[in-house]
Amino acid sequence: MSDNCPTAQLNHLDWLTSAYQRVAEAQGYEGFLLYSGEPHCHHADDQAATFRTYAHFLHWVPMPGLSHSWLYIRPGTKPTLYLHAPADFWHLPPELPDAPWTTRFDIRPTAETAPPRPPRGRLAVLGDVPAGIAERLGGELNPPHLLRALDELRVRKTPYEVDCIREANRLALVGHQAARDAFNAGTTELDIQLAFLGASRQRESDVPYQNIIGLNRHAGVLHYQHYDIHPPASYSSLLVDAGRSVAGYAADITRTWAGNDADPQFSALIHSMNVMQQRLIEAIRPGVSFIALHQHMHQALGTLLIEHGLIHCSEEAAVESGITRAFCPHGLGHLLGLQIHDVGGRMTPDGQPLPAPQGDPALRLTRELEADMVVTVEPGLYFIPMLLEPLRDSTAGAHIDWMKVDTLASHGGIRIEDNVLVTKENQENLTRVQMTS
């Protein structure tokens, strides 16, 4: 973190206070009551699922994992934090850090889980709150028009938020290097996952999303959800999509490496994908349509497939016939912040929906880029039989070199992902700036 982080964090809270006041005035609310949330047990079990603090609560209170706590915000007064900290010998109660941000709140430790009773007036109750509780408080539960306005406050990041994401990238990259070292040593997916967690200094319940550690064909399963405990017969490829959080703000980084048993063309494809990804990032600046950038990715992917002899047609034909989408079915990227797929990516600044194009339903960011947004840029190239096989006997399939595709199928695929800040003039790659080599 930068040396001015405490000051930046205080400035962030001052800005947030003013922003909530503007929203309150525009929509006629006199107070907001935000619930941090609470763990929920699995059905017919006494074990709880992994808990994540409500992101709008975290926007104010940088205590990931804090549960059963309430934040009351009334414009013109200091926000009140009802911190759930009971005397307990089963669990360690939360402790407030000795940090300047705590001075911005009236903090009231409590053993109670029930919500406070705010003063009379129009109240919005936000978070995972039962409807009956909101009704007893006389509040409106999660009003959509209000949530859209608060989501928009998270679309552009303050310097403090960018600082957190930058630090999360630094820590995550240490984990990625450890994962690559474990891969080169010839270990299992589980061993690679443990190497990442150890080097990035986090336990599995703390990661911002379930890490993807895919060896060989598993690299072609976009959200591969297992960690094989058995070593593979060969080491062709490794895809690691893994992150880290700082004060709730996430890094989301993907790297792909060729193994000792990789086909030489796979290594060449990784290099070309890396060059393509960096060129896409260089095109980022305020006013650029992310949909247009996504479409440019498909054009560039068509060119790459031609250059490597995987297809024999024009770039335009590769895109129009659906060939490039069979090789890359997901979107170019998404907003990043307190959530991996952060809010506001598919709406206009005034809250109107901006749906994904019909041909690209998985695209999670459909608006024009603005200064202070943080986005991921993650083009992919995969050899997924479920997507490619339907082309084999089609007109489009006649343009594909199936011998090469079949050779590379055992490698799964390639994805390279960085986290990028949109600046006033262009962009800053928060991931690459952390890299020393």
Side-chain angles (χ1 to χ4, degrees):
M1 301 280 282
S2 65
D3 293 337
N4 68 345
C5 182
T7 301
Q9 188 172 17
L10 294 178
N11 291 339
H12 167 78
L13 291 172
D14 291 343
W15 169 83
L16 202 53
T17 298
S18 297
Y20 265 63
Q21 182 163 349
R22 290 194 299 272
V23 171
E25 292 171 352
Q27 300 202 14
Y29 288 98
E30 295 172 75
F32 308 95
L33 187 61
L34 283 67
Y35 185 45
S36 66
E38 61 191 78
H40 293 286
C41 287
H42 297 289
H43 178 68
D45 199 347
D46 64 355
Q47 298 298 302
T50 299
F51 169 71
R52 297 197 186 282
T53 303
Y54 182 43
H56 281 304
F57 185 98
L58 275 178
H59 206 191
W60 287 85
V61 182
M63 297 181 68
L66 184 62
S67 64
H68 297 289
S69 298
W70 299 84
L71 178 64
Y72 177 59
I73 302 164
R74 187 177 183 86
T77 64
K78 181 181 286 190
T80 304
L81 172 59
Y82 297 88
L83 179 73
H84 183 245
D88 191 4
F89 56 84
W90 289 106
H91 304 95
L92 185 68
E95 295 183 5
L96 279 172
D98 182 15
W101 69 262
T102 60
T103 64
R104 291 293 196 268
F105 298 87
D106 175 10
I107 300 176
R108 304 182 186 183
T110 176
E112 300 297 324
T113 60
R117 289 200 169 274
R120 297 177 65 86
R122 190 181 179 202
L123 174 71
V125 181
L126 305 175
D128 186 11
V129 180
I133 290 179
E135 185 176 357
R136 286 197 296 274
L137 292 169
E140 301 173 29
L141 180 59
N142 296 319
H145 57 287
L146 174 60
L147 287 177
R148 285 193 292 270
L150 299 184
D151 287 351
E152 185 64 20
L153 298 182
R154 287 170 43 195
V155 167
R156 290 159 297 279
K157 305 308 189 272
T158 64
Y160 159 72
E161 295 177 287
V162 173
D163 220 16
C164 291
I165 297 172
R166 185 181 285 112
E167 177 68 1
N169 268 264
R170 185 187 70 80
L171 294 169
L173 284 169
V174 177
H176 275 267
Q177 184 57 56
R180 183 179 186 178
D181 292 344
F183 171 56
N184 290 335
T187 57
T188 68
E189 290 174 350
L190 178 60
D191 292 320
I192 295 169
Q193 161 75 344
L194 295 175
F196 177 90
L197 294 174
S200 59
R201 311 310 297 159
Q202 56 184 328
R203 66 180 191 173
E204 195 160 74
S205 59
D206 291 333
V207 295
Y209 57 97
Q210 180 173 305
N211 292 344
I212 299 169
I213 310 288
L215 286 169
N216 303 335
R217 288 184 184 272
H218 293 161
V221 181
L222 299 185
H223 286 171
Y224 176 61
Q225 71 274 38
H226 304 294
Y227 305 117
D228 202 330
I229 63 173
H230 303 291
S234 61
Y235 288 86
S236 297
S237 62
L238 170 67
L239 185 149
V240 175
D241 187 339
R244 180 65 153 79
S245 289
V246 169
Y249 291 89
D252 180 5
I253 303 171
T254 309
R255 292 292 182 265
T256 309
W257 296 288
N260 293 331
D261 302 312
D263 186 281
Q265 183 158 23
F266 189 73
S267 299
L269 283 169
I270 292 175
H271 173 75
S272 294
M273 284 292 293
N274 186 66
V275 172
M276 183 183 90
Q277 189 241 18
Q278 291 300 292
R279 287 176 178 167
L280 289 167
I281 290 174
E282 289 170 0
I284 286 178
R285 54 186 37 83
V288 169
S289 163
F290 202 79
I291 291 178
L293 199 61
H294 171 81
Q295 293 169 341
H296 182 54
M297 176 194 74
H298 277 286
Q299 296 164 358
L301 183 58
T303 300
L304 185 151
L305 292 169
I306 294 167
E307 291 174 347
H308 286 266
L310 286 165
I311 62 173
H312 305 287
C313 62
S314 68
E315 167 202 300
E316 292 79 6
V319 175
E320 292 172 5
S321 66
I323 290 175
T324 61
R325 284 170 173 78
F327 280 101
C328 182
H330 61 70
L332 176 61
H334 49 81
L335 292 174
L336 181 68
L338 287 167
Q339 292 169 250
I340 288 298
H341 303 137
D342 215 4
V343 292
R346 287 184 172 183
M347 68 181 191
T348 63
D350 62 356
Q352 299 303 308
L354 278 177
Q358 187 173 0
D360 296 295
L363 184 60
R364 291 188 168 98
L365 178 54
T366 56
R367 57 193 289 173
E368 283 191 357
L369 297 177
E370 300 175 48
D372 302 322
M373 286 180 173
V374 177
V375 301
T376 67
V377 179
E378 47 182 307
L381 167 58
Y382 311 92
F383 303 94
I384 303 174
M386 179 180 176
L387 300 180
L388 290 170
E389 283 302 319
L391 296 179
R392 196 177 286 266
D393 297 323
S394 70
T395 302
H399 301 303
I400 298 175
D401 188 323
W402 291 103
M403 184 174 295
K404 288 186 176 181
V405 167
D406 292 341
T407 298
L408 293 167
S410 61
H411 299 62
I414 301 164
R415 183 164 65 254
I416 300 171
E417 178 182 17
D418 291 346
N419 306 160
V420 181
L421 169 67
V422 184
T423 63
K424 288 182 172 58
E425 296 182 355
N426 41 61
Q427 78 295 129
E428 178 189 351
N429 191 325
L430 301 177
T431 305
R432 301 280 171 151
V433 75
Q434 308 291 341
M435 299 170 65
T436 57
S437 62

